[in-house]
Amino acid sequence: MKRGLALFLAALLTALALTACGGGYSGGDKGGAVGEDFAPSSPSAAPADYNRAESQVWGFDAEEAPAGPEEAGGGEESRLANAKMVYTASAEAETQDFDACTAALEGLVEELGGYLEYASRGSYGDGSRNASYTVRIPSARFKEFLASVGEISHIISQDQNADNISEMYYDIESRLTTQRTKLERLQALLAKAELMEDIITLESAISETELEIEQLTGSLRRYDSLVDYATIEIRLREVLRLSTVEEAPPTFASRLGNAFTEGLRSFGDFLQGLAIFVAYNWIWMLLLALIVLLVVGLSRRSQARRAETFRQAREQAGGFFNRKKDGPKNPDDKQPKD
């Protein structure tokens, strides 16, 4: 009885392993129902249909691929109907009315059914403010949100990305179906097991299978969150004048006049920035000026003391040489008598 049960368990585990390897991209029962392009019902036609679906999604070999019913009348939306797409974007924006712009941006997120995953505000040394947002918006309203952000603020730069994770998603989904089937069979064997050794072996296998199911389920939930909600990074800053991109004037006189005007405007901005910098840092500048005056005063006193010391030393040296000059040149010379 014990030997027969052990052989039966080994055969069962071998069959489950072969089932898992063979169902890597088939999508299982659930995978075939969710995405027809990625899990065709005919095994012989699976590679060709899968490659055709990839070419439809990414646009590779679009001219060589045969025109199917979805390509003929569906357009991009029908081609991506069963694809798992992750949309991300980042934008650099500026505004002259910071409070109104941030309020409108946060209201737009709420209006479109999204939420703020991260938000922060700060200010620069010149007093201008800035904000950073990580926004999650339903993928169906991704383009609408980006267009509305361009109306609320002045967009400097913007990047968009679309990542197709269909292959990874349906592979995990297939592995999850296989592990659930394996768990049901192991639990059925555990209900029939009589020997303690067999019970311990089955319980260990069931524990490992449940852990694998939890990990695969967590991966699918994370992918579902990325697919259902697009992620947009927005960096907003407050400016006095919006950045503009102007075409080059056709004549030299126009270019010279524009350069002269822009120079005056830049010089005015520089003076304004300097005034704001001085007003913002006047305490430190006053402290620095006091330190400089103290150092200069100490230096002058030190130089005066050194000059006085040198003068005294020179006078003493001069007196010594004068006394030596007034004395007799030769000790043997006699002094004249009165």
Side-chain angles (χ1 to χ4, degrees), residues 19-204:
T19 303
C21 296
Y25 291 102
S26 63
D29 297 337
K30 186 177 179 182
V34 174
E36 297 178 358
D37 292 341
F38 298 92
S41 58
S42 175
S44 61
D49 291 345
Y50 182 81
N51 293 332
R52 183 177 60 83
E54 284 294 317
S55 66
Q56 292 174 359
V57 171
W58 294 105
F60 298 146
D61 301 328
E63 297 178 358
E64 299 177 3
E70 293 181 353
E71 296 179 13
E76 181 180 0
E77 294 183 358
S78 62
R79 291 198 303 269
L80 301 180
N82 296 321
K84 299 294 182 179
M85 304 297 298
V86 176
Y87 296 101
T88 57
S90 62
E92 293 275 354
E94 57 186 16
T95 180
Q96 293 176 306
D97 191 348
F98 185 81
D99 294 328
C101 184
T102 53
L105 180 60
E106 294 173 5
L108 177 64
V109 173
E110 184 177 358
E111 178 184 350
L112 296 183
Y115 61 93
L116 294 176
E117 189 175 70
Y118 171 81
S120 68
R121 295 188 183 186
S123 61
Y124 298 109
D126 58 357
S128 61
R129 293 168 292 179
N130 63 86
S132 298
Y133 294 100
T134 300
V135 181
R136 301 298 303 276
I137 293 293
S139 298
R141 315 194 75 173
F142 174 67
K143 295 182 178 179
E144 179 183 354
F145 176 79
L146 292 179
S148 299
V149 170
E151 298 175 357
I152 294 174
S153 62
H154 179 67
I155 300 296
I156 301 175
S157 63
Q158 185 182 95
D159 297 324
Q160 300 182 33
N161 183 55
D163 187 15
N164 189 342
I165 62 169
S166 300
E167 182 177 350
M168 294 182 293
Y169 186 92
Y170 290 123
D171 177 61
I172 293 176
E173 193 176 49
S174 176
R175 289 164 56 193
L176 180 60
T177 301
T178 301
Q179 292 298 321
R180 286 173 176 170
T181 303
K182 176 182 176 181
L183 179 62
E184 293 176 357
R185 294 178 181 177
L186 289 174
Q187 290 173 344
L189 288 175
L190 180 62
K192 298 178 181 179
E194 297 179 355
L195 298 178
M196 183 59 63
E197 182 180 357
D198 297 335
I199 292 175
I200 293 175
T201 302
L202 287 171
E203 287 180 346
S204 177

Side-chain angles (χ1 to χ4, degrees), residues 154-302:
H154 179 67
I155 300 296
I156 301 175
S157 63
Q158 185 182 95
D159 297 324
Q160 300 182 33
N161 183 55
D163 187 15
N164 189 342
I165 62 169
S166 300
E167 182 177 350
M168 294 182 293
Y169 186 92
Y170 290 123
D171 177 61
I172 293 176
E173 193 176 49
S174 176
R175 289 164 56 193
L176 180 60
T177 301
T178 301
Q179 292 298 321
R180 286 173 176 170
T181 303
K182 176 182 176 181
L183 179 62
E184 293 176 357
R185 294 178 181 177
L186 289 174
Q187 290 173 344
L189 288 175
L190 180 62
K192 298 178 181 179
E194 297 179 355
L195 298 178
M196 183 59 63
E197 182 180 357
D198 297 335
I199 292 175
I200 293 175
T201 302
L202 287 171
E203 287 180 346
S204 177
I206 288 174
S207 178
E208 294 177 358
T209 304
E210 289 177 343
L211 178 60
E212 182 70 17
I213 290 175
E214 290 179 2
Q215 293 176 348
L216 294 174
T217 302
S219 298
L220 282 183
R221 288 175 180 173
R222 181 169 61 88
Y223 282 141
D224 285 335
S225 175
L226 295 175
V227 170
D228 294 339
Y229 284 83
T231 304
I232 302 100
E233 301 280 348
I234 300 176
R235 287 175 292 276
L236 178 68
R237 62 188 181 94
E238 184 181 25
V239 295
L240 295 176
R241 188 175 65 254
L242 299 177
S243 302
T244 57
V245 179
E246 299 179 355
E247 296 182 357
T251 62
F252 173 76
S254 300
R255 295 172 58 187
L256 184 61
N258 290 344
F260 182 76
T261 304
E262 187 64 26
L264 290 177
R265 185 180 301 171
S266 299
F267 183 71
D269 293 342
F270 169 75
L271 292 179
Q272 292 180 11
L274 181 61
I276 294 175
F277 175 80
V278 172
Y280 189 82
N281 299 280
W282 69 271
I283 296 179
W284 293 104
M285 297 178 68
L286 179 61
L287 181 61
L288 180 61
L290 293 176
I291 293 175
V292 170
L293 291 176
L294 180 61
V295 171
V296 170
L298 293 176
S299 177
R300 288 181 176 178
R301 289 183 181 181
S302 177

Side-chain angles (χ1 to χ4, degrees), residues 1-13 189 192-195 197-198 202:
M1 175 67 181
K2 179 178 179 180
R3 181 179 179 85
L5 181 57
L7 292 175
F8 177 71
L9 288 175
L12 176 60
L13 293 177
L189 288 175
K192 298 178 181 179
E194 297 179 355
L195 298 178
E197 182 180 357
D198 297 335
L202 287 171

